Amino acid sequence: MTTAPEAPTIEEASAIAGRVLDEVGKAIVGKQEALRLVLCAILAKGHVLLEDYPGLGKTLAARSFARALGLDFARAQFTPDLLPSDLTGSFLYNQRTGEFEFRRGPLFTGLLLADEINRTPPKTQSALLEAMQERQVTVEGETFPLAEPFHVLATANPIEYEGTYPLPEAQLDRFLLRVGFGYPAAHEEYDVIARRVARRQEEVDLEPVTDPAGLRAVQAAVETVRVDESIGHYCVALAAATRDHRDTLTGASPRGSLGLVLTARAFAALRSRDYVIPEDVKAVARAVLSHRVTVRPELWMTQTTGRSIVDAVLVQVPTPATLEHP
């Protein structure tokens, strides 16, 4: 019988997370802020929507995190003809035994890359909802628990609308963060080319920093990060302000304020702190809240976006004083 590893201290958890980022950084050049946010979501036991233009490393980032974290990796290419059973698995008849056996789909993994998630119909998209929220799937009335840890990194292209199905708000809300990489600077883009030429192969060799049990231990350490009452009220005020903003049709739900707290704790842990300060909340607020905000239809042709509303809210809501901690 194996025993669970001893929970690391915040300093040890931060060191492990730093090594994970260093390892992933061997494959992804110059996107440390975005990679840090993705890792925060994983440490907070959440899921990430990677929304950006093609060719910016979204798929490579997902595969690299799976490798560095020692997680089983599965990739599901979302297409218009993808069925829910293609994700969850299905019962197949075994002629040898004369019984139906459950064949597991790609959801039964440690890290699932849901590639181009907005290219499949809502019926198939909904197959992810139970898995992302309940960490289980139900097929033919029978429920199967998923592995722990279980994380979904989904990709979406924000500029192609032909043949796509916009994600419903209920599913967007299941993603703890929405992150974009953006185009690299010229010197970073050259670094990508130089690294590829130097290694003489397409694949980037990454070494596992931890394993599923080790990741669970780090996640347990993040759970010990303290959140002062003033920080909790600040997160609630930010989420409420998105609902009250004049340009908002619908704002962030209570899941948004909870997401701020959970992600800010992970961000604090990455900084080797066992308590959250307002700057931690501000650092993750755009990634946590912007996809939970729906802009009024009459403003769709303007520069108003969920991100711009979150930026306005960050200026509007008073920042609590940073308390001194031992």
Side-chain angles (χ1 to χ4, degrees), residues 2 14 38 49 88 95 109 113 121 143 168-169 228 269 301-302 315:
T2 59
S14 177
V38 173
L49 177 62
T88 62
Q95 293 183 342
T109 188
L113 171 62
T143 299
E169 284 73 12
D228 189 78
M301 300 303 292
T302 69
V315 174

Side-chain angles (χ1 to χ4, degrees), residues 53-90:
Y53 306 119
L56 297 183
K58 302 185 294 297
T59 301
L60 179 60
R63 190 180 297 275
S64 300
F65 270 112
R67 178 63 177 169
L69 293 169
L71 299 177
D72 291 335
F73 177 78
R75 179 179 182 272
Q77 181 66 49
F78 281 60
T79 57
D81 60 348
L82 190 74
L83 299 175
S85 59
D86 294 329
L87 295 176
T88 62
S90 58

Side-chain angles (χ1 to χ4, degrees), residues 85-90 101-109 144-147:
S85 59
D86 294 329
L87 295 176
T88 62
S90 58
E101 296 179 352
F102 182 66
R103 300 292 177 87
R104 299 187 172 197
L107 278 178
F108 290 86
T109 188
F144 300 90
L146 297 176

Side-chain angles (χ1 to χ4, degrees), residues 130 136-139 141-145:
E130 182 184 17
Q136 65 182 30
V137 297
T138 302
V139 180
E142 189 169 347
T143 299
F144 300 90

Side-chain angles (χ1 to χ4, degrees), residues 69-277:
L69 293 169
L71 299 177
D72 291 335
F73 177 78
R75 179 179 182 272
Q77 181 66 49
F78 281 60
T79 57
D81 60 348
L82 190 74
L83 299 175
S85 59
D86 294 329
L87 295 176
T88 62
S90 58
F91 284 95
L92 299 178
Y93 184 71
N94 188 327
Q95 293 183 342
R96 179 178 299 176
T97 63
E99 297 178 348
F100 283 92
E101 296 179 352
F102 182 66
R103 300 292 177 87
R104 299 187 172 197
L107 278 178
F108 290 86
T109 188
L111 191 149
L112 172 70
L113 171 62
D115 209 5
E116 295 186 294
I117 189 174
N118 58 336
R119 289 199 174 277
T120 200
K123 181 178 181 180
T124 304
Q125 291 177 6
S126 66
L128 280 178
L129 293 181
E130 182 184 17
M132 292 171 65
Q133 187 65 29
E134 308 296 335
R135 260 64 175 189
Q136 65 182 30
V137 297
T138 302
V139 180
E140 299 292 338
E142 189 169 347
T143 299
F144 300 90
L146 297 176
E148 290 187 11
F150 169 72
H151 299 280
V152 174
L153 268 60
T155 70
N157 186 339
I159 60 172
E160 290 188 16
Y161 297 103
E162 185 175 351
T164 63
Y165 303 84
L167 296 180
E169 284 73 12
Q171 186 164 339
L172 279 175
D173 210 27
R174 296 302 198 281
F175 288 102
L176 183 59
L177 303 182
R178 181 176 64 182
V179 178
F181 287 161
Y183 286 111
H187 69 278
E188 294 171 343
E189 192 166 352
Y190 175 77
D191 196 11
V192 173
I193 297 172
R195 290 189 187 190
R196 171 61 182 86
V197 172
R199 66 176 178 264
R200 299 186 179 184
Q201 62 180 18
E202 188 64 34
E203 295 77 17
V204 182
D205 293 327
L206 302 181
E207 295 297 327
V209 174
T210 184
D211 56 19
L215 175 56
R216 290 196 299 270
V218 174
Q219 290 172 336
V222 171
E223 291 284 353
T224 68
V225 175
R226 290 169 289 166
V227 181
D228 189 78
E229 184 177 344
S230 64
I231 298 295
H233 285 298
Y234 181 51
C235 293
V236 171
L238 288 173
T242 65
R243 300 192 285 267
D244 297 334
H245 196 277
R246 65 179 184 277
D247 296 337
T248 299
L249 181 64
T250 58
S253 70
R255 190 180 278 136
S257 54
L258 178 60
L260 280 175
V261 171
L262 298 179
T263 313
R265 287 197 312 184
F267 195 88
L270 289 184
R271 294 286 187 252
S272 298
R273 270 187 283 101
D274 63 353
Y275 59 93
V276 176
I277 61 176

Side-chain angles (χ1 to χ4, degrees), residues 12-34:
E12 292 169 340
S14 177
I16 294 172
R19 294 201 300 272
V20 169
L21 288 175
D22 290 342
E23 198 67 23
V24 175
K26 295 178 182 178
I28 306 296
V29 177
K31 299 302 175 185
Q32 286 302 308
E33 181 180 353

